[in-house]
Amino acid sequence: MAGWRGALIVLEGVDRAGKSTQSRKLVAALCAAGHRAELLRFPERSTETGKILSSYLEKKREVEDHSVHLLFSANRWEQVPLIRDKLDQGITLVVDRYAFSGVAFTAAKENFSLDWCKQPDVGLPRPDLVLFLHLQPADAAQRGGFGRERYDDEAFQERVLGCFQQLMQDPSLDWKMVDASRSIEDVHREICTLSEDAIRGAAHKPLGQLWM
Ligand SMILES: Nc1ncnc2c1ncn2[C@@H]1O[C@H](COP(=O)(O)OP(=O)(O)O)[C@@H](O)[C@H]1O
Ligand SMILES: [Mg+2]
C-alpha cells in the first residue's frame, strides 16, 4: 500500500479514434512526470479467453453473439485482482477500452438491449475518468486499415457511436469528451491535463463499482 491509490483511467471511442496511440503516449508522459503508471488493454489477448476473442475478432472463428459478449466480460473480470492490486500500490492504470466498448459493440447488434449488455460488467472497478475520443466514423475510416477485423464497417461503427452516447448519459461516471479529430499532440496535451486532475482526485477516494 502506497498510502494513496492510483487512478483508473479509461480511453474509449470508435475504432481508429486514436485510443491505442493516446494510451501509450499517456503512460509515457505520466511516467516521465514522476507518476507510476501502467497500460492495460481489453480484450487482453494473451489469456485463454483472450485467445478465443482474438481469433473471433480476426474472423478466424465464429462465436454466438451472447456467448462472445460474456467472454469479453470474463476477459475483464479475470484482470480485476491485478487491477485492484496495482491501484492499491499507487500505480495509475491507463486502460485502452473497457466495459463501455464491451456494451456498445454488442448493443449495436440486432436484438440486444443496452440493459442486458451492461449486466455482466456491473460491479467491475469503476473508472475515475473515462476519456471519450470523439471522432465521426467517416473520419475514422480515412485513417486507413479499415475492413480487416470484425466490426470494421462504417455503418456498424455509427451504431456503436450511438450506443456510446447512450452510456454517456450516466451521471455516476466522469465522462470527458475529447475532440479526437485534432493532431495527435493536441489530443495528447488535453488528455494529460485531464488525467493529472483525475490522479489527484482519486488518490484519497475509495475505488467505486461500475453501474451500482
Ligand atoms: N489524431 C490523429 N490524427 C491522425 N491520425 C491519427 C490520430 N491518432 C491516431 N491516428 C492514426 O490512426 C490510426 C488508428 O489509431 P489507433 O491509436 O490505433 O486507434 P484505436 O486504438 O482507437 O483504434 C493509426 O494509424 C494512428 O497512427
Ligand atoms: Mg486500438
Side-chain angles (χ1 to χ4, degrees):
M1 296 284 280
W4 69 90
R5 71 169 175 93
L8 184 60
I9 299 173
V10 168
L11 280 81
E12 285 286 8
V14 297
D15 285 352
R16 313 266 182 286
K19 300 175 296 298
S20 298
T21 304
Q22 294 296 336
S23 304
R24 284 192 297 269
K25 284 179 71 73
L26 177 57
V27 170
L30 291 175
C31 291
H35 296 283
R36 293 170 73 202
E38 295 181 13
L39 180 64
L40 296 182
R41 84 289 310 147
F42 290 109
E44 171 50 62
R45 298 190 190 216
S46 66
T47 67
E48 293 304 307
T49 58
K51 284 173 195 153
I52 300 173
L53 294 170
S54 192
S55 62
Y56 172 79
L57 289 169
E58 290 163 12
K59 298 185 193 167
K60 290 178 181 155
R61 81 154 83 196
E62 293 303 316
V63 185
E64 194 276 334
D65 288 331
H66 300 77
S67 177
V68 85
H69 182 73
L70 297 173
L71 280 173
F72 273 105
S73 179
N75 183 258
R76 288 183 282 278
W77 277 105
E78 64 192 7
Q79 300 300 318
V80 168
L82 177 129
I83 291 173
R84 292 192 178 282
D85 199 49
K86 298 270 184 191
L87 294 175
D88 277 349
Q89 290 175 49
I91 299 169
T92 283
L93 295 176
V94 173
V95 188
D96 181 358
R97 293 189 185 283
Y98 197 51
F100 314 101
S101 279
V103 172
F105 279 76
T106 300
K109 296 176 177 175
E110 298 291 333
N111 301 318
F112 280 90
S113 74
L114 202 69
D115 189 51
W116 186 89
C117 294
K118 285 165 75 174
Q119 295 314 309
D121 287 304
V122 168
L124 277 179
R126 183 169 67 218
D128 298 296
L129 172 66
V130 188
L131 294 160
F132 188 76
L133 273 55
H134 189 266
L135 189 66
Q136 291 303 329
D139 295 332
Q142 302 292 321
R143 289 185 177 175
F146 246 62
R148 287 178 302 119
E149 285 210 331
R150 199 179 292 271
Y151 304 136
D152 275 2
D153 165 275
E154 206 179 306
F156 189 78
Q157 293 288 326
E158 287 285 359
R159 291 167 58 95
V160 170
L161 183 57
C163 296
F164 274 127
Q165 278 159 348
Q166 282 179 269
L167 291 172
M168 271 177 238
Q169 309 294 316
D170 180 352
S172 74
L173 286 156
D174 188 14
W175 287 91
K176 293 279 192 275
M177 187 76 111
V178 175
D179 174 3
S181 69
R182 296 169 298 164
S183 73
I184 290 174
E185 286 307 320
D186 283 355
V187 175
H188 175 62
R189 264 191 294 276
E190 184 178 357
I191 284 178
C192 283
T193 306
L194 293 166
S195 298
E196 291 275 2
D197 291 346
I199 290 169
R200 269 191 299 276
H204 299 287
K205 265 195 290 195
L207 183 64
Q209 291 178 293
L210 183 62
W211 294 324
M212 286 183 76

